Every structure is written in C-alpha cells, then in structure tokens.
Amino acid sequence: MSERVALNQFLAGVEKRAYKMALFRVRDVDEAMDIVQDAMMILVRKYASKPEAQWAPLFYRILQNRITDSHRKATLRARLFSMFYSEDPDETTTDVIQSAPDGYAAEPDFQVGIQDATEKLNAEVERLPMRQQQAFLMRAWEGLSVADTALAMRCSQGSVKTHYSRAVHRLREVLKEDWL
Amino acid sequence: MTSNNEETFLERAREALEAERLDDEIVERLAAARRSALDGLEPGQPLTPQHPLWSFWAPVGAFAVVVIAVALTLSSPDIPEFPYYESELQAAAADELELLEDLEFVAWMLVEEPDAG
C-alpha cells in the first residue's frame, strides 16, 4: 500500500472526529471546516514523511493549534466589538463565544434523528473548559494514548491525566441522572 | 465511582459521539478538503521531503571556500615586497634613480668593452 493511499485512509478516518472537535470549540460550520482543511494540508505538506504511527498525534496537535488560534481571534474580536458597540458597560466582559448561537442549531439536519443521549453529551462536552474538552475527546473518542495526547496538547502527561479525569468526572456528574 | 462504571460510561459516550451522523453536505466538504490536501502531493511523488540540489551543495561549497582560503593563507610563500611610494614625486624620483643607475651601467660597459658598442 503506497504512502499516499495510507495518508488518504488516515485522513478519511479522522476527518469526522476532527470536524466535530473543531465545531465543539468554534461553533461555526465554515470555520470548523477551514480548520480541518488547514490541519490536513499542513500534515500532508510537512509531516507526510513521518512514520504513520506519528500522524495521529501530529494531526491533532496541528488541529488543536488551529482551534486555539481561531478561538483566541474570535474572543479578541468579540471583546473589541463589545468595547466599541456595547451599550451596557457590564457586558464588555461577557465571553461572546460562550453566548454565541449553538453551531448545531444552525444546521437543521444536525438536530434531526439525533438521540437524546448524543444531544445531552454534545451539550455537556461543549460546556467543558477547552483543555478538558481536548483531553476528553482525544482520549475517549479518538483513542489516543496519554503520551500522544500530551504531544497533541503540548503539555505533560500528568496534565493530560488531570484534564481528562476532571472532564470525565464532570460529565458523569451532569449526565448521571439521564445516562446511568 | 468504580473503574467498571467509568468504562461503561466511556463506552456509552463513544457510542453517542459516533452515532451522530453528519449532514451529507458536510461529509462531501470534508472529502473535498481531504482531496485538496492530498493534491499537494504529485502522483508518484515520494513523501520524503525533497530538497533542491543547492541546499546540499551550498554549505559544502562554502566550507570548501573557507578551507581553501585558510590553506592559501597558511601555506603561501613570502610575497616579494614591491617598492611602495607615498607620492607620485617619490615614484618619479625612484624611476629617475633607476634610469641613472642604468646609464652608469651602460657607461661602465662601454668603458670596459669598447668593442661591444
């Protein structure tokens, strides 16, 4: 199997999860799509020659960098906008990202046929702090090891364990009445 | 909170996340993004990074130039000293002196070997 085919299979295997991870954070379909495409291009152009085993942590590292950049820019834009246009001075500290319209709501098909469990989980994952969200999605959903998740998140393995543990604890707490 | 319960919870979470079906348009856009990314690779192009030839030879050439320069500096024979004159006047005077020395030499030759002329 050629490396090109292997690369195609790898990207096809992660693209849906990558898109969802981006969407959880940026809550904008087009922005999430751009982030995933950028991550794909960077992986292909710069890291395709790396061993296949390294593609996943490298790809998610690129993806998380792009998500973080996008989130920061959106937050900065929101703050600037609030400073100049907000009528209520107290609202200048509002995190507009948090109060932005739900990305799923913008996609009518998103809501159709989705089970309650998925909806509730999505909502709670979306509320997780960024680092906890990253650790949870990469460990629990993508199945990355602690070491690979640490590489992707640019932090220590201890930090990954802490973020992941807090995320699982929080999700279990808020979902237990509905789930278990 | 036992690990067994946690495993059950995580298994259910994975199933819930995987169960969500993306809109067909999103799926197609993701596939297009993937194709676009892979188009960056020419068919048959090796995935190992290719560097232009000069990127290898440039440092080698620079190193060679430095080595040659050092070798020439260290091994060059003593360079003969050429007369150095601070002004054109001194240079002209030196020329005159050489001319006079030549004339003296010619005169001496004529005296010593009258038949030579």
Side-chain angles (χ1 to χ4, degrees), chain B residues 56-74:
Chain B
F56 171 75
W57 288 109
V60 173
F63 180 73
V65 167
V66 170
V67 168
I68 291 169
V70 170
L72 286 174
T73 303
L74 295 177

Side-chain angles (χ1 to χ4, degrees), chain A residues 35-49:
Chain A
I35 288 170
V36 173
Q37 182 162 10
D38 283 354
M40 286 177 170
M41 286 186 164
I42 292 171
L43 182 82
V44 170
R45 288 178 185 172
K46 292 188 175 178
Y47 302 106
S49 59

Side-chain angles (χ1 to χ4, degrees), chain A residues 56-66 151-154:
Chain A
L58 284 169
F59 176 76
Y60 281 105
R61 182 172 181 152
I62 299 163
L63 184 81
Q64 296 302 338
N65 284 345
R66 285 287 289 107
L151 178 65
M153 291 177 64
R154 294 184 180 218

